[in-house]
Amino acid sequence: MKRTPDPTPAPIASTLGTSQMIAAVAALVITCVVLIAYQLLDMRHGLTEGARVQAAIVADSVTAPLMFGDQEAARDVLRAFRYAPGLRAIGIYDKDGRLFAEFAYPDSHLPARQPAAGASPDGVVTVTETVRLRNNVLGQIVLQTSTGRVRAAMLRYLGLLAVASLLAMLAVAVLSRKTRARVAAAERKLDYMAHTDHVTQLPNRHSTYARLAVDLERARARGQQLALLLVDLDNFKVVNDTAGHAAGDELLKQVATALLGAVRATDLVGRIGGDEFAIVAWPVADRATALAVADQVTRALRRPFQLESGEFFATASVGLCLYPNDAASMSELVSSADTALYHAKHGGRNRLAEFVPAMTAATQRRAALERELRHAIEQRQLALHYQPQFECAGGALAGVEALLRWRHPEHGLVSPAEFIPIAEDSGLIVQLGSWVLHRACQDVMAWDRAGAPALTLAVNMSARQLREPGFIDDVMRALALSGLPPERLELELTESVLMEDVAGAVAFMQAARALGVRLSIDDFGTGYSSLAYLQSFPINQLKVDRSFVQLLPQRGETVIHAILALAHGFGLSVVAEGVEDQAQLDWLRAAGCEMVQGFLLGKPMPPQDFAARYLALAPAG
Ligand code: C2E
Ligand code: MG
Ligand code: MG
């Protein structure tokens, strides 16, 4: 296994444990203080009440001795209380406040004059009770009782409380330990989920870039080189669309394993997007080492993958950028690797592109074109050119293909091969395509009204247009507004357009056919050329790519014969594009091709030129 994400500590669990313990101790301390205070007050109250009852009993029993001045009898009464718990001293004062009789333990004598109310020696509670006989005050009883019993009871209580608290803390500690373990496990799981792609188990985008930043910092500190490879699968969407998401996931897993097998032990592989992977190769001794890693990667992905639905070729486009030679910072490294990847993809896929500074210039031109393309429609810089299509057998003009042109104020005519991909990537193609469709339908109907023969109109479509929910409505609108009969409109789709979203393409094609619109496959033979789709897609026509036609008549016959046989077998007609010389035309006619199109018979030209040349219509104003 290559590098795995750094194990991160479980901070919540440990803080949770400490804070739980602190909270438990605080709660326990508060509870203990309240309980002790309450207990103390309660015991003191009980002690005072007990003393007051004793004093009241004495007061009732000494009325006679006090009235008759019988001190001996009074002392006898007092002595009877000697066993009262806690008693220190008890005395009778006559109504003048002189000590009349007393019983006291040796260390606790009462003063000769009655003490002021509330005056009490330490550790002693004093209560007084008035001795009365029929509302006449005869004297006062003063009773002093020791608080020692309360103290002893309090000590026992505190001991009990300490034991209970200790047990409670023990229970909290055990519980908190369990909670901590559970939280730590949940934390580890969350951390794993936040940093790992769940399909491939590789570090995810966030984690990969975080690791790249760390590695880059280390490379910088040690003066080492680092290579970033961005890997984009070429045909992932095809698997997902044709074999389902489970097959797509399986492919991603196998690709992840293949990548891990291709890189070195020190390299990091992460999944940074749907079908995009990043490889951080660090350290690399030189450019050759980085290229060797990249080469291993492209080779590993060129091999077929075994999926349940069959063998599959994923192939990948790879962009490579080297630190510090090609980029000085992380953002530059990522964006330059991305630029290289873009070039690998647009250079025909299944290849490696090394970043070179010239790519930046190309990317900048692209970005500028994209900005300007947004205004091209409103500034009337877009135009349509028309190329004639002829019947092979009789040579009659049968239709036209509308081809978009951009008259750029600075760069002159920009080729659709350059700006259509930009329009596709930026989504502008939806607006451009709609303009082309409406404009072309109107041009053809203008020729009709001027008396030209009824031509079919071929219009090129992009994948993005097909995915646009309202696209079929736009086709209907273009037909209705121009009055072009649906069977004279032919939409050209490329094989890659169809394979990008098979289900969506089929739905669109069925809707278009239901309108009566014809469908043809452009550049046939350069893409997947799958027999399966010829059977399942509701198409009318194939356009043989010009690269095959140009080989005629010496080479390429086998391929074109095969395409013709295949198309005719499925009941489809065939158009040969790019016919440039007579020998090619003769060969195609003899082979039974239905239609031809090419520079030999007519180049794409502005509508007024087309009308004048092929329709013998005078140029309109
Ligand atoms: P395509 O649809 O395959 O168009 C045929 C291309 O071959 C045209 O290039 C045409 O000028 C060129 N061609 C025709 N006959 C010959 C020949 O005999 N020899 C040679 N060498 N070339 C010939 P163009 O106009 O540059 O268009 C390039 C591509 O741009 C088109 O290929 C089409 O895929 C795309 N495109 C053009 N207009 C539109 C449009 O309105 N919408 C979309 N989505 N794509 C368009
Ligand atoms: Mg075309
Ligand atoms: Mg073509």
Side-chain angles (χ1 to χ4, degrees):
M1 184 63 198
K2 309 293 161 170
R3 286 191 282 160
T4 48
D6 286 327
T8 37
I12 300 178
S14 53
T15 3
L16 188 76
T18 324
S19 52
Q20 251 183 354
M21 285 308 282
I22 291 175
V25 169
L28 208 63
V29 167
I30 292 171
T31 312
C32 287
V33 167
V34 170
L35 281 178
I36 291 168
Y38 175 78
Q39 192 68 16
L40 201 66
L41 285 175
D42 189 49
M43 282 183 177
R44 225 187 143 81
H45 180 74
L47 187 80
T48 314
E49 281 309 296
R52 209 158 260 146
V53 168
Q54 288 167 12
I57 295 171
V58 175
D60 282 347
S61 317
V62 295
T63 41
L66 202 58
M67 204 163 59
F68 298 112
D70 185 351
Q71 289 183 315
E72 203 48 46
R75 269 188 219 109
D76 284 346
V77 172
L78 295 181
R79 208 173 299 115
F81 281 86
R82 64 186 178 278
Y83 296 123
L87 182 83
R88 302 307 314 151
I90 182 162
I92 305 165
Y93 288 88
D94 62 19
K95 58 178 185 290
D96 301 322
R98 281 190 303 265
L99 185 62
F100 176 70
E102 130 182 88
F103 170 79
Y105 284 100
D107 52 344
S108 314
H109 279 290
L110 289 169
R113 301 289 309 176
Q114 185 181 342
S120 234
D122 275 350
V124 167
V125 168
T126 305
V127 294
T128 53
E129 185 69 33
T130 310
V131 186
R132 294 172 200 276
L133 184 70
R134 292 187 209 99
N135 287 340
N136 292 326
V137 174
L138 301 181
Q140 297 280 336
I141 304 296
V142 172
L143 186 147
Q144 290 187 335
T145 184
S146 154
T147 56
R149 269 189 320 137
V150 173
R151 260 182 275 132
M154 257 335 268
L155 276 178
R156 281 196 305 276
Y157 185 75
L158 283 178
L160 206 71
L161 210 58
V163 171
S165 301
L166 221 69
L167 287 176
M169 287 308 294
L170 213 70
V172 169
V174 170
L175 273 178
S176 135
R177 214 185 144 91
K178 273 193 184 158
T179 319
R180 243 190 356 246
R182 246 183 262 138
V183 172
E187 256 191 304
R188 275 196 300 276
K189 197 163 172 195
L190 272 179
D191 185 67
Y192 179 80
M193 274 158 51
H195 293 94
T196 313
D197 164 53
H198 70 278
V199 176
T200 58
Q201 311 305 319
L202 293 176
N204 62 12
R205 184 188 182 83
H206 166 78
S207 172
T208 306
Y209 283 141
R211 298 290 298 280
L212 172 62
V214 172
D215 288 354
L216 205 62
E217 212 33 67
R218 288 181 186 157
R220 194 195 308 271
R222 298 177 199 172
Q224 291 170 326
Q225 297 196 47
L226 175 152
L228 174 65
L229 283 95
L230 295 182
V231 180
D232 192 299
L233 299 184
D234 294 327
N235 304 322
F236 177 67
K237 250 189 95 50
V238 178
V239 178
N240 242 4
D241 290 346
T242 54
H245 287 261
D249 284 358
E250 179 54 32
L251 177 66
L252 289 173
K253 276 184 215 160
Q254 291 192 23
V255 166
T257 312
L259 288 176
L260 289 170
V263 300
R264 305 163 310 165
T266 52
D267 300 339
L268 173 82
V269 181
R271 182 180 172 208
I272 55 171
D275 57 356
E276 251 190 84
F277 296 83
I279 295 167
V280 181
W282 170 70
V284 284
D286 48 21
R287 191 170 284 272
T289 317
L291 283 172
V293 174
D295 187 51
Q296 286 294 337
V297 166
T298 33
R299 266 170 207 270
L301 299 185
R302 241 170 237 156
R303 281 196 290 269
F305 290 95
Q306 298 297 335
L307 301 180
E308 221 171 85
S309 50
E311 201 169 69
F312 189 81
F313 287 88
T315 76
S317 305
V318 180
L320 168 74
C321 186
L322 213 63
Y323 169 87
N325 292 27
D326 303 334
S329 67
M330 165 131 169
S331 60
E332 214 181 305
L333 184 68
V334 172
S335 96
S336 297
D338 206 42
T339 303
L341 175 63
Y342 176 85
H343 279 259
K345 274 212 150 330
H346 287 260
R349 304 173 163 213
N350 187 15
R351 66 191 60 208
L352 162 74
E354 242 183 292
F355 176 78
V356 285
M359 284 178 178
T360 314
T363 313
Q364 278 163 355
R365 174 177 157 99
R366 213 187 110 79
L369 284 182
E370 183 182 327
R371 273 197 309 279
E372 291 156 358
L373 195 54
R374 294 184 187 276
H375 307 293
I377 299 183
E378 64 215 47
Q379 290 174 0
R380 297 175 171 270
Q381 291 169 2
L382 293 179
L384 282 183
H385 281 195
Y386 292 93
Q387 187 175 30
Q389 296 177 328
F390 297 91
E391 277 173 12
C392 223
L397 175 68
V400 283
E401 176 173 7
L403 293 158
L404 187 55
R405 297 289 177 265
W406 180 8
R407 291 187 300 250
H408 192 280
E410 284 166 48
H411 309 305
L413 266 189
V414 182
S415 161
E418 182 173 10
F419 74 83
I420 292 285
I422 297 177
E424 283 173 343
D425 286 353
S426 60
L428 272 175
I429 192 70
V430 175
Q431 208 189 338
L432 288 190
S434 172
W435 180 85
V436 170
L437 189 65
H438 284 260
R439 178 84 252 155
C441 288
Q442 275 156 17
D443 282 349
V444 170
M445 285 316 285
W447 296 332
D448 260 34
R449 285 193 294 276
L455 299 178
T456 60
L457 165 65
V459 178
N460 294 286
M461 294 286 115
S462 287
R464 262 307 271 274
Q465 287 173 276
L466 247 61
R467 287 206 295 271
E468 199 61 20
F471 182 54
I472 195 75
D473 299 332
D474 199 34
V475 174
M476 283 163 73
R477 246 191 326 273
L479 291 171
L481 287 174
S482 63
L484 182 73
E487 62 281 3
R488 282 174 57 194
L489 177 63
E490 197 167 82
L491 300 180
E492 291 190 2
L493 311 154
T494 59
E495 292 168 287
S496 51
V497 163
L498 298 178
M499 298 314 274
E500 233 172 74
D501 172 16
V502 176
V506 169
F508 168 79
M509 289 169 119
Q510 279 163 349
R513 286 299 300 272
L515 288 180
V517 170
R518 287 166 56 83
L519 299 169
S520 70
I521 296 197
D522 206 353
D523 307 339
F524 186 77
T526 56
Y528 304 88
S529 309
S530 151
L531 296 182
Y533 76 62
L534 285 184
Q535 189 152 39
S536 53
F537 289 171
I539 46 175
N540 304 88
Q541 183 168 274
L542 297 184
K543 291 188 82 172
V544 183
D545 191 64
R546 124 167 143 246
S547 55
F548 300 112
V549 174
Q550 271 161 2
L551 298 174
L552 292 175
Q554 280 84 19
R555 290 175 298 138
E557 296 117 313
T558 323
V559 175
I560 301 190
H561 269 309
I563 294 177
L564 282 166
L566 199 66
H568 294 157
F570 283 111
L572 311 174
S573 59
V574 176
V575 182
E577 337 180 63
V579 179
E580 289 183 352
D581 65 42
Q582 190 61 42
Q584 292 166 346
L585 179 61
D586 294 342
W587 189 95
L588 288 162
R589 190 177 286 138
C593 178
E594 280 80 10
M595 304 256 283
V596 278
Q597 175 183 353
F599 290 175
L600 174 72
L601 306 150
K603 291 194 170 180
M605 59 189 82
Q608 52 281 17
D609 294 1
F610 184 88
R613 180 143 175 212
Y614 293 100
L615 308 174
L617 304 175

